Amino acid sequence: MDFKMDKNQQGTKLYTIALFIWVAYFGLVITSNVATYLNNNILQYGVSGLVIAMLVIKEYLNIPNGQIRIRPFTFAVFLVMFSLYVWTSRYQSGILTVCIFLFVASARDVELNAIFKAFLWAITIVLVGTVLLSRLGLISILYMASDDGVRGSLGFKYVSFGSQYSLFFILCYLIIRSSKIRWIEIIFLYIIAFYFHSATATSNPFYLSLLVITYALISEKVVKKGLIVENKFLKIITPAIYFVVLGVLLYLCFFASSGIYSTVDSMVHNRLRLGKQGIELFGVPMLGQKVTFITLNMFNRYDSNYNYIDSSYLQSLVVNGWLFTVLILILFSLSLKWVVDHKYDILAACMVIAAIHGMFDPQMMVLWYSPFILMIGKIFNPSDTGKKLAQRYIEDV
């Protein structure tokens, strides 16, 4: 193995370590009651600074022959997206948004399995660590009344967070195991989905978990072929899922009959109404705006003026603006096309599930929950590394 390959492997290790540290730390701080022990501004900036430094070193190690190769179009798109990220970060989490952009850009030449393994270990730390500490009584549990009884947060700051993490755990696990997955593992994933649903009574991630596990069961254990990548029609329409979802949401909110609107809104626990009201109240700017959502009151109960927009798509339109939202959905679509073209069937299915999940939940573009925004980086690789990474992934799974 030559020195160049050694440097590339070192770069991959730096990237995956940085991703693991960042996702695990900020997942705990932002979503878990473990934040009681970790929530410190100096520590947060320290972790972000460390991760940025690691990514810079990784980029240096991966520069071929000491020269940076990048297409003018690629540079232009990255410049536009980075400018929009910086602009919208003024209203959001600042350095966290910049870190997400850097992770996306730097993922372009990192092996797929390495990315998903690092992410899986990170959210496993968040998920298992939080639940275990709550069971030991070391962190508090939030309880809320619902139509189905009492919902518990399992140590997370909100009752649905644990169930959201369980969905992305299942997606990452399926991607990594792919054709090698065994029946006992499939049963294990079903148990995880039912466990978190029984504790948190969160519907959307539960039903989508069952759907994607069943898809993997059929494709890998029954028919033993890629149901998406080996179907000409599905190969064409699958990358359009993001704009299809956005179109369906806008139709339901503003063009559907009152009967259809009310029925769907009732099924999704008023999230359609909240999205529509959010757009009507805040508007959809071109370049984003500062929005302060009202959620829980001081007694950890829903505030009477609750107005949080759960949909990733509608929230992005309101907070990030229509220009950023359209561009990011185009990039998501191109990344899914890249996945389909390289015949990663389970990964394609998981990205479709994540796109549907974003209809009524806000995690689609949030890196400490979902790894799929990192796939955008793959479409900007200026070399033939994509083919090499494809072959390595196929060999791994």
Side-chain angles (χ1 to χ4, degrees), residues 11-12 15-16 19 55 58-59 62 78 99-116 338 367 371-382 385-386 389:
T12 293
Y15 181 92
T16 54
L19 182 64
L55 294 179
K58 175 263 178 185
E59 290 301 312
N62 282 10
F78 263 94
C99 285
I100 293 174
F101 173 84
L102 295 177
F103 273 119
V104 172
S106 192
R108 70 193 182 281
D109 54 2
V110 180
E111 294 179 34
L112 289 178
N113 253 18
I115 291 174
F116 286 106
W338 185 94
L367 184 55
F372 299 111
I373 193 171
L374 299 176
M375 296 307 302
I376 290 175
K378 294 301 178 185
I379 64 179
F380 294 112
N381 196 329
T385 309
L389 296 178

Side-chain angles (χ1 to χ4, degrees), residues 27-152:
L28 289 170
V29 168
I30 295 174
T31 69
S32 167
N33 287 328
V34 179
T36 303
Y37 306 100
L38 298 176
N39 194 6
N40 179 285
N41 286 335
I42 295 177
L43 187 56
Q44 289 186 32
Y45 280 103
V47 170
S48 297
L50 173 63
V51 163
I52 291 173
M54 294 175 72
L55 294 179
V56 170
I57 295 172
K58 175 263 178 185
E59 290 301 312
Y60 173 76
L61 291 173
N62 282 10
I63 294 175
N65 301 321
Q67 296 180 346
I68 298 176
R69 292 184 296 170
I70 188 167
R71 300 186 185 101
F73 173 75
T74 300
F75 178 76
V77 172
F78 263 94
L79 184 61
V80 170
M81 292 305 297
F82 182 72
S83 300
L84 288 173
Y85 254 83
V86 171
W87 182 269
T88 57
S89 69
R90 300 180 308 151
Y91 308 119
Q92 300 176 58
S93 50
I95 194 170
L96 296 185
T97 307
V98 173
C99 285
I100 293 174
F101 173 84
L102 295 177
F103 273 119
V104 172
S106 192
R108 70 193 182 281
D109 54 2
V110 180
E111 294 179 34
L112 289 178
N113 253 18
I115 291 174
F116 286 106
K117 283 180 180 178
F119 194 91
L120 180 65
W121 278 111
I123 61 173
T124 299
I125 293 294
V126 176
L127 193 59
V128 176
T130 300
V131 173
L132 182 60
L133 290 174
S134 70
R135 294 301 187 191
L136 294 174
L138 298 177
I139 59 175
S140 61
I141 300 176
L142 171 67
Y143 291 100
M144 298 183 67
S146 70
D147 296 336
D148 301 320
V150 178
R151 304 174 66 189

